[in-house]
Amino acid sequence: MTRAVALGTFDLLHPGHVHYLREAAEWGEELHVVVADGERVSHKDPVLPDDQRVRMVEALDPVTAAHPGDPDDISAPIRRIDPDVLVLGGDQHHDEEEVAAMLTDWGVECEVRRASLAEGEGEQLYSSSAIAERILDEREEKRAVSP
């Protein structure tokens, strides 16, 4: 059985996440998703708690199982899953060769692939940051209009 693994923060789920996970699922018969531990996320502070983000991801059709990230050892869930392929998101900043070297250091033998970026059309938003920014902008506009 071919196991694919995807990873990310998955805060404020949006169509870009669904695109990523659907594409990642094409690389294996099972798709396991590691949801980053909120304390280890360096690029933003997740809005939703870890357990809620895991449950949301697990509810998505392409996902076989969602796993919480380990607060002390980022390699632990990957080593437990022992994937055949690790699929990076199209917008994730990780370098494929560096990830492959890290996996080798952890004793995990698998391919590293990169999903394509979701193509936005018109008003579609494919990033948590863009969604949050739009919410804040709309709230600000409403406050400016309301007495």
Side-chain angles (χ1 to χ4, degrees):
M1 173 126 348
T2 305
R3 279 185 303 279
V5 69
L7 38 90
T9 306
F10 301 100
D11 195 35
L12 303 179
L13 282 176
H14 55 75
H17 289 131
V18 174
H19 171 84
Y20 168 37
L21 296 177
R22 281 184 177 151
E23 199 166 302
E26 294 175 8
W27 290 101
E29 296 164 273
E30 294 181 350
L31 175 61
H32 294 261
V33 180
V34 177
V35 179
D37 180 273
E39 296 296 317
R40 295 190 65 90
V41 176
S42 59
H43 62 284
K44 65 178 177 179
D45 291 325
V47 173
L48 297 174
D50 294 357
D51 64 323
Q52 288 181 12
R53 291 184 290 115
V54 170
R55 288 196 318 266
M56 291 293 293
V57 168
E58 196 166 48
L60 299 174
D61 283 341
V63 177
T64 303
H67 309 266
D70 189 290
D72 301 315
D73 181 1
I74 62 170
S75 73
I78 302 292
R79 289 183 290 112
R80 274 194 305 275
I81 297 164
D82 192 26
D84 299 292
V85 60
L86 184 142
V87 184
L88 297 169
D91 66 345
Q92 291 178 343
H93 64 276
H94 309 293
D95 177 78
E96 290 101 315
E97 291 178 14
E98 289 176 13
V99 171
M102 192 168 33
L103 291 166
T104 299
D105 289 347
W106 296 344
V108 177
E109 292 182 33
C110 74
E111 290 181 68
V112 176
R113 300 285 184 165
R114 183 165 304 272
S116 65
L117 277 173
E119 295 293 328
E121 296 177 19
E123 293 292 312
Q124 295 176 350
L125 297 173
Y126 289 112
S127 85
S128 300
S129 300
I131 292 169
E133 186 175 315
R134 183 169 176 180
I135 291 168
L136 292 172
D137 288 347
E138 288 183 10
R139 291 287 178 342
E140 187 65 30
E141 288 172 16
K142 286 182 181 179
R143 274 188 279 241
V145 172
S146 298

